[in-house]
Amino acid sequence: MRLTGRIIRGIGGFYYVYTEHGIIECRARGKFRISNIVPIVGDNVDIDTENLKDGFIINIHNRKNELVRPPVSNVDQAIITFSIVNPALNRLQLDKMIILTELNEIHPVICINKIDLVAEDVFLPLYNLYKNLGYDVIATSKFDNIGIDKLKAMLIGKTSFFTGPSGVGKSSLINCIHGTNKQEIGDLSEKLLRGKHTTRSVELIPFESGYVLDTPGFTSLNLDLDEAELKYYFRDFKEYETNCRFKSCLHINEPDCGVKIAVSNGLIDKIRYSNYLNLYNELKSNKRRRY
């Protein structure tokens, strides 16, 4: 019988494929090794099975994207999680991670966590800044379930992963999300034979007709971008760059720059602009090292 499903876990040469008939333990056909192709978690695959218990992967569908660490494919959105305090929110790192996700065709959702530790006027300006730029933004705290229902709603029908610095509360948020689905997760873990394969691995947990990547660890994405293209990833520039004298303006040293004028007039957030300059110099420096 030929079925289509999705790899939700892979370990020791075994791949656990989630199908309409349940989870089927599969191995990859030898042709993948010959072609140096390795199935990874998140792959949509065709499998061949005779008993609906085990089988072989016979085809891997084209991937729309692929993460390196951890190895997972076909993700829809990243929940970019930062705490407003403990540790303090790093604006440069936040802007960089937004660009990283968009470069990899992943929708960014900005999650500002631990808001119970500060007054509303501490996190609200940042919340409104990114919200007004058109980003999906949520403010959360595990205490009193602040923002948890809104976060759950954003996960419906999507393949999502949490990313962000250590200590910002990603694990706590994941636990809150899974709070009402612990039995489902427990059943799934049993089906995945964790007693048989004890090595820790990447896993997609089915959740509300979507999936959540179970690891809260930092995910590595490649920033493969020419510094001249960076400006297109700052949405706040678009409205004002039409006022630049030069069409190729990089908004750095050029005269009569509409973006720099907007920054001076408080129309573009100064920290965002400073982050643009820092990332531009980083990309330029990386290019020099490569060549």
Side-chain angles (χ1 to χ4, degrees):
M1 179 186 297
R2 179 168 174 154
L3 296 174
T4 297
R6 191 167 190 192
I7 299 175
I8 59 172
R9 191 174 187 234
I11 186 170
F14 290 93
Y15 301 93
Y16 296 90
V17 181
Y18 195 77
T19 74
E20 60 181 326
H21 294 283
I23 297 168
I24 299 175
E25 182 183 79
C26 296
R27 284 188 175 275
R29 286 291 192 194
K31 67 175 184 178
F32 296 114
R33 288 194 300 274
I34 296 171
S35 303
N36 199 28
I37 298 173
V38 179
I40 60 175
V41 170
D43 279 348
N44 295 305
V45 297
D46 298 321
I47 67 171
D48 188 23
T49 178
E50 295 182 357
N51 55 16
L52 298 180
K53 293 182 179 179
D54 50 50
F56 289 91
I57 296 173
I58 58 177
N59 180 50
I60 300 174
H61 298 194
N62 290 335
R63 298 165 180 161
K64 74 174 184 178
N65 53 41
E66 178 182 346
L67 308 186
V68 177
R69 191 175 66 245
V72 64
S73 66
N74 301 316
V75 292
D76 297 312
Q77 62 184 8
I79 313 301
I80 301 174
T81 309
F82 282 79
S83 56
I84 193 65
V85 292
N86 298 338
L89 194 149
N90 185 319
R91 291 278 304 275
L92 176 61
Q93 194 172 1
L94 171 58
D95 285 335
K96 184 175 183 178
M97 292 181 74
I98 291 171
I99 296 168
L100 286 168
T101 55
E102 292 181 333
L103 273 171
N104 286 269
E105 299 182 29
I106 299 168
H107 178 71
V109 176
I110 301 168
C111 177
I112 304 173
N113 197 28
K114 301 185 183 181
I115 62 166
D116 58 293
L117 299 178
V118 298
E120 189 177 78
D121 60 0
V122 175
F123 74 85
L124 204 54
L126 190 67
Y127 178 98
N128 289 332
L129 169 65
Y130 286 94
K131 193 76 174 175
N132 292 336
L133 290 175
Y135 291 105
D136 285 330
V137 189
I138 48 177
T140 57
S141 170
K142 68 178 181 179
F143 298 101
D144 300 323
N145 286 326
I146 300 172
I148 301 301
D149 287 340
K150 184 177 179 181
L151 178 57
K152 287 180 179 179
M154 287 184 168
L155 302 177
I156 295 174
K158 305 288 186 181
T159 298
S160 310
F161 69 95
F162 285 73
T163 186
S166 298
V168 298
K170 299 185 296 295
S171 295
S172 295
L173 290 175
I174 291 173
N175 289 337
C176 287
I177 289 165
H178 287 155
T180 56
N181 295 273
K182 286 182 179 177
Q183 184 59 51
E184 177 186 350
I185 294 167
D187 293 343
L188 181 62
S189 295
E190 185 177 343
K191 290 178 183 177
L192 291 178
L193 306 176
R194 277 188 168 159
K196 179 179 177 182
H197 302 301
T198 56
T199 304
R200 181 69 172 152
S201 65
V202 180
E203 185 178 319
L204 288 179
I205 301 294
F207 179 85
E208 298 288 353
S209 70
Y211 298 87
V212 175
L213 189 64
D214 77 331
T215 174
F218 183 83
T219 301
S220 175
L221 300 171
N222 294 321
L223 182 55
D224 185 14
L225 180 67
D226 187 276
E227 69 271 15
E229 303 296 313
L230 179 64
K231 62 182 181 179
Y232 300 119
Y233 290 87
F234 279 76
R235 301 180 181 184
D236 16 6
F237 293 0
K238 188 173 183 180
E239 180 181 351
Y240 305 103
E241 60 190 1
T242 54
N243 298 326
C244 295
R245 183 199 297 185
F246 304 107
K247 199 169 185 179
S248 59
C249 185
L250 294 173
H251 320 311
I252 299 176
N253 297 316
E254 299 88 345
D256 300 327
C257 170
V259 168
K260 288 193 293 182
I261 293 171
V263 173
S264 298
N265 292 335
L267 300 174
I268 292 177
D269 180 71
K270 290 184 178 180
I271 295 179
R272 282 271 295 174
Y273 178 70
S274 176
N275 290 346
Y276 167 74
L277 296 179
N278 285 327
L279 291 173
Y280 178 91
N281 290 328
E282 178 183 319
L283 289 169
K284 196 170 182 179
S285 177
N286 289 342
K287 181 193 284 186
R288 280 199 298 264
R289 281 199 294 268
R290 284 199 303 269
Y291 299 104

